[in-house]
Amino acid sequence: MTNYYMPTRIVGGENCIVDNASLLKELGKKALIVTGRNSAKANGSFADVEKALEANGQAYALFDQVMANPTIACAFDAAGLAQREACDFVIALGGGSPMDLGKAAAAIAVNPLPADALFSTPFDQALPVAAVPTTAGTGSEATRYAILTNDAVQSKSSLSSPLLFPRLAFLDARYLASLSRNTLVNTAIDALSHAVEGMLGARASAFTDAAAKSGLRAFAECLPALQSGDISDPAVREKLLFAASLDGMVIANTGTIAVHAMGYLLTYFKKVDHGRANGLLLGAYLRLVQRKEQAAGTNRVGDILGALGMKSLDEFDAAIDGLLGEREKCAAAEIEQYAETAIHAAHIANSAIKPDKADLLETLTRSLGG
Ligand code: NAP
Ligand code: ZN
């Protein structure tokens, strides 16, 4: 059965925040603006939001302390500020970290959620959120997830609720211009991974496939720019940003699969950036699925390669290796630990072809083995 849901209003284009300031007016009287420590002020997104709020006569409080892979404590800090300042909506600017933190704070601020059971406690309301992505990666502006580092499980966990879809997303590709090549590449690979994992998901549909294939085509078209790190062409920036949102719509409906489950562990234990962690694993995981599909008589891997305009997984590996450079290595004992943890993650049930622990060991060893 197909069940596709995406309630976020997406407004895109140059200067879209200021030009559509009136849309923010509908969200409330006082915003909690959530950002990382530097980039939102440097790339112009914060100034544009300030300008829009000023035009609307809306007040704001600023929480600008979001770290990469944000913690539960940080989400409670932001929610506490929203409560003290009587904020009635959230504007989250930045990469996935501030967007997810803003979404989590929007829920924590208006529900009695315990920090030690945050991910298992249901909630029935959230402040409205406007999201402004400044990386072209996570698609969080179009998903129902807020992902936080969870020390209790030594990995990352998701708050997941239809209430966490941002009400509004503003896609202005000018903000991407200041991305370092590293962040550009890692976040683009995250978006790629969302498209790939969505297509390999048990809940893939005609709707998510259409979005994923469009995202894959965009990734392939932007490969030369990703390789060089030169995204001075506004059309390239916009293509990457729109594709990341499309890929977000995919995973909002399919979830992610084993690649993300294993990737979270590389981030938690080895401090590998989120998108890069997925990229390290993707090629080997696709090879595994391709082998299993031959037995099952399906060819989703072929569909993925077709959308990328690639002939083989060798071509895929060469492209990803060119972007990633030298790979991190893990000891056999670490790989065993990651496979044992990841096989129990909820992501495994999301896959059309479900891997077993030996499959995860194979993927991790091929990707990272010494
Ligand atoms: P990020 O952690 O949000 O940001 C990485 C770095 O990029 C930070 O140093 C940030 O600086 C900088 N940055 C952001 N925008 C910039 C710009 N325009 N120019 C220059 N630097 C910029 O990275 P991310 O990969 O976008 O997000 C990863 C997080 O998203 C992870 O926690 C992951 O689990 C989560 N995620 C969520 C979903 C979802 O559906 N909700 C999906 C996938 C991943 P500042 O700190 O100064 O801002
Ligand atoms: Zn991701």
Side-chain angles (χ1 to χ4, degrees):
M1 199 198 334
T2 295
N3 186 350
Y4 183 88
Y5 185 60
M6 217 307 284
T8 305
R9 179 200 283 252
I10 296 184
V11 180
E14 197 171 318
N15 213 35
C16 60
I17 297 180
V18 173
D19 289 350
N20 295 279
S22 60
L23 293 175
L24 284 171
K25 214 169 186 170
E26 296 162 17
L27 299 193
K29 290 189 169 57
K30 185 169 185 182
L32 177 74
I33 300 182
V34 176
T35 71
R37 295 202 170 105
N38 302 302
S39 70
K41 288 174 195 116
N43 64 35
S45 56
F46 178 68
D48 285 349
V49 166
E50 262 194 320
K51 209 188 280 182
L53 293 178
E54 197 182 321
N56 291 342
Q58 290 166 299
Y60 73 83
L62 175 63
F63 184 86
D64 61 0
Q65 294 301 310
V66 183
M67 67 293 282
N69 306 301
T71 58
I72 296 170
C74 184
F76 275 82
D77 286 348
L81 182 63
Q83 290 167 337
R84 286 194 303 282
E85 293 282 338
C87 297
D88 52 3
F89 70 111
V90 173
I91 307 178
L93 327 175
S97 298
M99 287 193 287
D100 283 7
L101 199 289
K103 289 158 76 176
I108 294 166
V110 290
N111 297 282
L113 289 170
D116 58 358
L118 181 61
F119 303 102
S120 55
T121 308
F123 54 92
D124 55 15
Q125 51 184 334
L127 297 176
V129 175
V132 183
T134 66
T135 62
T138 70
S140 177
E141 68 277 8
T143 78
R144 47 183 284 149
Y145 312 118
I147 298 165
L148 302 173
T149 297
N150 184 2
D151 291 322
V153 296
Q154 295 193 311
S155 183
K156 303 182 91 177
S157 298
S158 295
L159 282 177
S160 174
S161 163
L163 295 166
L164 293 183
F165 276 106
R167 203 70 82 73
L168 263 175
F170 291 108
L171 309 187
D172 188 333
R174 287 177 309 163
Y175 307 139
L176 304 186
S178 53
L179 285 172
S180 67
R181 181 181 181 275
N182 248 354
T183 306
L184 169 71
V185 161
N186 292 343
T187 54
I189 291 179
D190 189 27
L192 166 73
S193 202
H194 296 161
V196 167
E197 292 179 62
M199 285 192 63
L200 299 179
R203 282 180 278 153
S205 70
F207 302 99
T208 58
D209 274 7
K213 285 179 183 174
S214 171
L216 291 170
R217 275 194 298 276
F219 178 86
E221 286 163 13
C222 295
L223 255 178
L226 293 172
Q227 191 58 259
S228 67
D230 177 3
I231 51 164
S232 51
D233 179 353
V236 170
R237 294 200 295 267
E238 189 156 291
K239 195 173 281 189
L240 287 167
L241 185 59
F242 285 17
S245 285
L246 278 167
D247 298 333
M249 295 175 206
V250 173
I251 59 164
N253 287 279
T254 62
T256 51
I257 60 171
V259 175
H260 265 64
M262 293 184 284
Y264 287 156
L265 299 168
L266 296 180
T267 299
Y268 190 87
F269 287 105
K270 306 291 259 191
K271 308 287 172 239
V272 180
D273 282 353
H274 172 70
R276 179 176 174 86
N278 297 328
L280 290 166
L281 300 160
L282 260 184
Y285 194 75
L286 279 167
R287 240 164 244 281
L288 174 96
V289 175
Q290 188 178 55
R291 200 176 68 227
K292 295 196 165 221
E293 283 200 303
Q294 272 158 12
T298 54
N299 191 15
R300 298 293 279 168
V301 174
D303 293 343
I304 290 164
L305 290 173
L308 286 165
M310 293 179 180
K311 292 192 175 50
S312 66
L313 282 178
D314 286 344
E315 197 180 335
F316 181 89
D317 284 344
I320 299 298
D321 282 345
L323 295 176
L324 292 178
E326 197 181 335
R327 283 169 174 265
E328 289 77 353
K329 296 277 176 236
C330 293
E334 292 173 310
I335 286 176
E336 163 64 31
Q337 181 198 349
Y338 302 159
E340 174 56 24
T341 303
I343 198 63
H344 298 294
H347 303 71
I348 303 301
N350 282 338
S351 320
I353 293 186
K354 291 173 194 42
D356 57 23
K357 185 176 163 188
D359 295 330
L360 301 191
L361 278 172
E362 176 188 316
T363 303
L364 286 158
T365 305
R366 269 178 179 255
S367 306
L368 302 149

